[in-house]
Amino acid sequence: MQPMLEPGSTIGILGGGQLGAMFTGAARRMGYRVAVWDPDPDAPTHRVADQSFSTPFANSDTRERFVDVVQAITLEWENIPAELCEWLEQRRPLRPASAVLRILQDRLTQKQFLSSCSLPVPDFAEVQSVDQLLQATRRLGFPLICKTARSGYDGKGQWLFRQPSDISQFERILNTQASGVRWIAEQFVAFVRELSVLVVRSGRGETYVYPVVENRHEQGILRESRVPASVSPSDAEAACELSLRAVAALHGIGIFCVELFQTQDGRLLINEIAPRPHNSGHYTLDACTVSQFEQQVRVTCGLPLGEVRLLSPAVMVNLLGDEVTAVMSADGCLETFSTPGASVHLYGKRVIRPGRKMGHVTFTAPEVETAVVSAEQFMLRLQRPHSTSPFQQ
Ligand code: ATP
Ligand code: MG
């Protein structure tokens, strides 16, 4: 069993986006120091960590310096080079392990792994050429989603093909890619809802599962998450049970988010698994006994996990692109901060890009319906024209 790392020690985190910054907030509150490594000098975690490194991940000097200052390591993004993780893991405890990362950081390997464990996923095929795509359409039909096997987030690197004539687009896309790029073609699932479940498993043999969250995406980007999800108790139980099975199959130690599709006929399919805290779990900061970030600290340091309890229903709304200015203007501040149960989180990113996650607002209320109304009113406000942006565009 991993020895416990006492407060006062330094935890290393690979990746320094908003997830890393929220992790750092939790770690520092618990008495730990944090060293972040993210090649982007503007990454939000650099502003809040005790030590920061911003060279490329391939830099071997930084690798040595990083490992010297940290006593355990975690990550906030699955696309950290697995070779770096393997090297670090030989020297310090790394949660999650590089073997888990290797499976999850490639969409094809991930889906192949899940189906080899008899865990339900949408039908899929490997695609590297137009011929393979044509073969895939014969088996999977239209519409069909094609995703790059590696990288990609918030729907980036994904294409929807609705009809045979769309296939010519793929030829053009293929021509813009380096050779050897792999794709996964997936059957388009006409889901009734998207759900997600956070599972945390420790090296001490404990496992906790958070309540099922219901998510709504717009153009592949998470728009809103609500908890509890509007599913029956037996469906919620089935979603938790499936998620627990998936993380156990990986022998995962860490915090994981299992994204699910619920189909018309009541089946649950695994869309993907993230080996880290997740945007749909941000509500845990304001509405749970222990947040997803605190659990990440606990599991990384070999501490006992925290008991998971939902303290309040909640709806979380993402602030995408310049919507953030609606909260930062004087009027917007006044309205949002005076809404009962509203909790504002801004990530401090300097540059706005369309669809970029700039912050989120969580609405808690004694009944989920009240939180839903507050979130809906807030989203209407986001659509109004805002005052001048303080950001670079
Ligand atoms: P994120 O980083 O936000 O989790 P991502 O870029 O990793 O997203 P996915 O989760 O695979 O990508 O896809 C984003 C969204 O696109 C899904 O949440 C879902 O709404 C839609 N989507 C993806 N795959 C399918 C599918 N096979 N059928 C129907 N919709 C899909
Ligand atoms: Mg996803």
Side-chain angles (χ1 to χ4, degrees):
M1 197 165 74
Q2 174 189 344
M4 213 166 72
L5 198 67
E6 292 94 7
S9 319
T10 301
I11 312 170
I13 183 156
L14 301 165
Q18 63 270 17
L19 298 175
M22 290 185 257
F23 167 84
T24 302
R28 292 184 61 142
R29 178 175 55 74
M30 295 164 76
Y32 290 91
R33 298 168 64 78
V34 175
V36 61
W37 186 358
D38 189 310
D40 175 4
D42 263 349
T45 315
H46 290 303
R47 294 191 304 138
V48 292
D50 298 274
Q51 272 174 285
S52 68
F53 301 87
S54 50
T55 58
F57 283 127
N59 187 307
S60 50
D61 286 346
T62 308
R63 199 172 73 170
E64 299 281 353
R65 286 194 293 134
F66 183 74
V67 88
D68 266 358
V69 299
V70 303
Q71 282 85 58
I73 304 169
T74 186
L75 44 93
E76 63 123 44
W77 196 42
E78 50 278 18
N79 294 312
I80 309 292
E83 302 71 32
L84 171 64
C85 293
E86 272 157 18
W87 188 90
L88 293 169
E89 180 174 63
Q90 281 158 20
R91 291 156 179 87
R92 297 286 181 272
L94 172 75
R95 303 286 178 257
S98 64
V100 174
L101 211 62
R102 276 208 185 270
I103 297 172
L104 297 185
Q105 67 186 194
D106 183 297
R107 292 174 195 280
L108 259 170
T109 315
Q110 179 178 154
K111 289 242 160 60
Q112 283 158 346
F113 171 82
L114 294 172
S115 43
S116 74
C117 300
S118 305
L119 291 158
V121 293
D123 284 340
F124 67 94
E126 176 172 355
V127 167
Q128 272 184 293
S129 66
V130 175
D131 273 355
Q132 281 178 327
L133 180 63
L134 286 170
Q135 267 176 37
T137 62
R138 283 194 278 277
R139 188 160 63 80
L140 307 174
F142 286 98
L144 179 120
I145 291 197
C146 241
K147 307 178 183 178
T148 48
R150 289 179 162 264
S151 305
Y153 64 97
D154 290 347
K156 291 185 175 67
Q158 299 194 9
W159 281 266
L160 177 67
F161 301 122
R162 294 178 193 279
Q163 60 222 359
S165 59
D166 289 347
I167 298 294
S168 58
Q169 275 179 44
F170 187 65
E171 216 155 341
R172 280 197 295 277
I173 297 162
L174 267 182
N175 288 335
T176 64
Q177 304 289 323
S179 67
V181 173
R182 291 149 70 246
W183 301 73
I184 179 168
E186 285 180 17
Q187 153 208 41
F188 182 84
V189 181
F191 51 78
V192 285
R193 44 179 89 70
E194 285 193 82
L195 305 171
S196 58
V197 178
L198 283 170
V199 173
V200 56
R201 277 177 102 236
S202 75
R204 308 162 60 97
E206 307 146 299
T207 301
Y208 282 99
V209 61
Y210 281 76
V212 181
V213 176
E214 184 170 346
N215 299 312
R216 193 167 59 76
H217 289 75
E218 279 171 10
Q219 282 143 18
I221 306 176
L222 184 64
R223 170 78 274 176
E224 156 195 64
S225 295
R226 70 172 69 172
V227 61
S230 56
V231 294
S232 67
S234 64
D235 285 348
E237 202 182 308
C240 290
E241 192 266 337
L242 174 58
S243 305
L244 285 165
R245 264 204 298 142
V247 178
L250 285 162
H251 300 288
I253 305 292
I255 181 146
F256 295 83
C257 181
V258 183
E259 298 179 16
L260 301 164
F261 296 135
Q262 188 182 37
T263 63
Q264 194 90 53
D265 55 5
R267 281 177 310 136
L268 290 168
L269 302 174
I270 300 178
N271 171 33
E272 61 174 350
I273 303 179
R276 52 161 171 84
H278 194 265
N279 192 171
S280 66
H282 288 355
Y283 80 91
T284 60
L285 285 165
D286 301 302
C288 283
T289 41
V290 174
S291 77
Q292 58 174 349
F293 302 103
E294 176 168 340
Q295 297 285 26
Q296 188 180 13
V297 176
R298 289 177 181 241
V299 74
T300 306
C301 296
L303 298 170
L305 297 182
E307 180 222 9
V308 171
R309 192 153 27 91
L310 185 66
L311 300 172
S312 167
V315 179
M316 186 238 37
V317 177
N318 269 334
L319 294 167
L320 303 173
D322 67 2
E323 288 172 355
V324 70
T325 57
V327 176
M328 298 187 77
S329 66
D331 286 355
C333 256
L334 206 64
E335 262 181 296
T336 312
F337 282 84
S338 57
T339 306
S343 174
V344 177
H345 301 252
L346 297 180
Y347 306 151
K349 294 179 182 174
R350 276 201 282 235
V351 181
I352 292 190
R353 284 191 292 272
R356 191 176 196 200
K357 290 174 179 165
M358 304 298 292
H360 71 268
V361 182
T362 303
F363 298 91
T364 54
E367 290 85 30
V368 73
E369 294 76 16
T370 314
V372 167
V373 169
S374 299
E376 279 169 357
Q377 286 169 349
F378 177 69
M379 278 189 278
L380 285 175
R381 290 213 296 276
L382 291 183
Q383 287 159 16
R384 277 195 234 143
H386 322 308
S387 59
T388 329
S389 161
F391 290 88
Q392 298 166 31
Q393 293 280 348

